[in-house]
Amino acid sequence: YQRRVRGTAGSTSLPMPVTRSTDAADQKLAAWRATKEAEWVQEGSKTRRKHPDRAEFEDWMDRQCAKSLKLKEESDAAATDARCGFTAFKAGDMATAFLHLSRAVNSAPGNKEIAKGFSDVWEALETRGMSTMADCHAFVQAGTGQQPEQLSEAAQAAVEAAALADFDGSALESAVLSGDYDHLSPDQLQQLMQEMK
């Protein structure tokens, strides 16, 4: 896409390339900008009514393109972190997996696959005796030398939803109703105790 630089003598504008974007993103933004330009030149168009001043219209297009590029950069960063996290998880490197997937799930809490991946890593760390998030953070920092991100509220909700998506509470429900806890697994007992708090 091309960012316009307005001259001091009025509406003169010169195209200026914007850095830190990909060719595909540039092409999409250039196509969007061309569509908006075509709409704006038509008197009475919705775009022209919303942005009657040419300079304000160009500023608006610049802001929209900048937002789009920022979202793309964030999305690309989340995808890279997710790939690194899943690769580390498969290799058994839970510290690196936790580090990368915590960043990925914070960047893209709506991505169910990333939320499930973080939930799986967290569960694996719990089976190794790290029962709190603070324990997990200490483990990750000791293993990687980096402090993992705290989960945002949206990310935490997504991870909890992913963890509970596969949870079958039928055995837990039967045990609670009958008072028979002997056949429950340690995970089911822990779940029961957490829910009773």
Side-chain angles (χ1 to χ4, degrees):
Y1 101 93
Q2 301 257 319
R3 182 164 192 258
R4 305 247 176 219
V5 178
R6 266 168 294 298
T8 55
S11 65
T12 305
S13 61
L14 302 170
M16 181 178 91
V18 172
T19 59
R20 295 180 11 207
S21 64
T22 63
D23 288 338
D26 284 344
Q27 290 171 358
K28 287 179 184 177
L29 291 174
W32 176 83
R33 187 179 280 275
T35 299
K36 293 300 174 187
E37 289 275 358
E39 291 172 9
W40 191 85
V41 296
Q42 295 185 9
E43 290 292 331
S45 70
K46 182 178 177 181
T47 303
R48 185 75 172 253
R49 285 191 312 268
K50 285 179 87 174
H51 311 283
D53 179 66
R54 179 68 189 184
E56 189 276 328
F57 170 65
E58 289 178 2
D59 285 342
W60 173 77
M61 286 194 302
D62 290 344
R63 286 191 310 272
Q64 298 309 308
C65 289
K67 284 180 195 175
S68 180
L69 285 174
K70 184 175 187 252
L71 288 173
K72 177 161 180 16
E73 287 173 4
E74 289 171 357
S75 175
D76 289 350
T80 299
D81 274 324
R83 278 191 299 277
C84 291
F86 287 123
T87 301
F89 182 70
K90 288 177 185 175
D93 182 356
M94 294 303 140
T96 301
F98 189 100
L99 178 71
H100 286 284
L101 288 172
S102 67
R103 284 195 302 239
V105 77
N106 272 338
S107 296
N111 186 309
K112 292 180 181 180
E113 185 178 339
I114 294 173
K116 176 72 171 114
F118 183 85
S119 173
D120 291 346
V121 171
W122 193 0
E123 185 178 323
L125 291 176
E126 283 180 334
T127 63
R128 294 181 181 184
M130 286 158 257
S131 58
T132 68
M133 191 59 81
D135 293 338
C136 294
H137 279 239
F139 171 78
V140 171
Q141 190 163 11
T144 66
Q146 297 179 48
Q147 181 67 31
E149 290 186 9
Q150 294 288 335
L151 295 186
S152 67
E153 287 184 26
Q156 188 170 350
V159 169
E160 288 172 2
L164 294 175
D166 296 331
F167 180 70
D168 177 15
S170 59
L172 189 59
E173 180 182 3
S174 297
V176 170
L177 293 175
S178 68
D180 178 19
Y181 304 114
D182 294 335
H183 69 281
L184 293 178
S185 71
D187 287 340
Q188 290 172 324
L189 279 173
Q190 184 179 9
Q191 178 73 26
L192 175 62
M193 293 180 75
Q194 287 177 345
E195 289 178 3
M196 295 174 111
K197 288 182 181 178

